[in-house]
Amino acid sequence: MKHTLPTLPYAISALAPKMSQETLEYHYGKHLQTYIDNLNKMIENSPYEDMPLEEIIKTANGGVFNNAAQTWNHTFFFETLTPNPGKMPEQLEAKLTEAFGSVENFKSEFSKTAIGIFGSGWAWLSKDKDGKLVISAESGAGNPMTKGLTPVLTVDVWEHAYYIDYRNRRAAYIEAWWDLVDWDKVAGKLLI
């Protein structure tokens, strides 16, 4: 199975000024494309060649895992962004309030986790097999699927995600990122 660059659900300039066209040209157009190209080369004529991406992530290690997880993580990240964030659906608001006390508490806890990751990685909101919501930090290409969790929301805190627009100000990037979250898509992933 040949993996390909996913089509963005918005124009490459649509997230500016919170996330510039230049950032997307590099982050989506170059970084993600490189992970996909590397993955395709690594899995050719291997047991992973015809596996879905999720299965590769759950079974591989080393370079195959890193490139598969980065392909999946980035695709998930870009697909949950929007230039026109709407109001948070009531069901999602209720679930976040139940789990974290309020939506503001959730955002604060999630932001703190994302900002606190040492080096490169991802902050995740996931649900466990019982539907309980958990926030986790994963370094490198980490993905909560490897721990039996279902991802609901993520933010990329590798420097390539924000350095063009925010330099070393990760907290400012996280604050701006909240204004790009597609809450309808997050709710859809939570309620599956």
Side-chain angles (χ1 to χ4, degrees):
M1 166 185 314
K2 184 120 173 128
H3 300 280
T4 58
L5 188 68
T7 302
L8 290 175
Y10 40 80
I12 200 156
S13 61
L15 303 180
K18 304 281 184 185
M19 196 175 290
S20 69
Q21 178 172 335
E22 184 181 8
T23 288
L24 281 173
E25 286 170 351
Y26 279 91
H27 192 189
Y28 163 79
K30 297 192 185 312
H31 284 278
L32 177 52
Q33 184 65 65
T34 299
Y35 294 128
I36 293 167
D37 292 344
N38 288 343
L39 176 64
N40 284 326
K41 286 178 200 154
M42 291 175 151
I43 64 173
E44 193 173 349
N45 300 316
S46 82
Y48 303 110
E49 187 170 31
D50 294 319
M51 274 188 195
L53 210 43
E54 291 84 358
E55 286 306 308
I56 297 173
I57 292 167
K58 292 174 186 175
T59 58
N61 54 39
V64 172
F65 168 80
N66 287 333
N67 284 281
Q70 286 291 67
T71 295
W72 196 94
N73 295 356
H74 279 88
T75 300
F76 188 91
F77 171 72
F78 289 124
E79 287 177 350
T80 55
L81 301 177
T82 181
N84 303 305
K87 188 175 181 321
M88 182 181 288
E90 287 179 20
Q91 283 182 294
L92 176 57
E93 190 174 340
K95 291 271 190 193
L96 291 172
T97 299
E98 178 186 325
F100 302 101
S102 71
V103 171
E104 287 313 309
N105 283 348
F106 156 68
K107 286 183 172 181
S108 175
E109 215 175 300
F110 190 93
S111 293
K112 187 174 161 186
T113 298
I115 293 164
I117 293 170
F118 180 77
S120 301
W122 300 82
W124 295 90
L125 173 67
S126 305
K127 63 181 178 179
D128 68 14
K129 60 181 176 22
D130 299 320
K132 181 180 179 219
L133 293 176
V134 293
I135 295 171
S136 63
E138 296 282 349
S139 62
N143 184 297
M145 287 190 293
T146 62
K147 297 175 176 119
L149 300 171
T150 302
V152 175
L153 176 69
T154 194
V155 65
D156 184 349
V157 293
W158 283 66
E159 286 184 340
H160 65 238
Y162 60 89
Y163 217 79
I164 290 170
D165 297 328
Y166 299 94
R167 299 298 184 245
N168 64 338
R169 296 177 304 121
R170 183 185 285 183
Y173 157 69
I174 300 296
E175 188 177 328
W177 167 79
W178 284 117
D179 293 333
L180 299 173
V181 174
D182 188 331
W183 293 113
D184 288 328
K185 286 188 180 165
V186 175
K189 292 174 187 313
L190 178 61
L191 303 171
I192 294 176

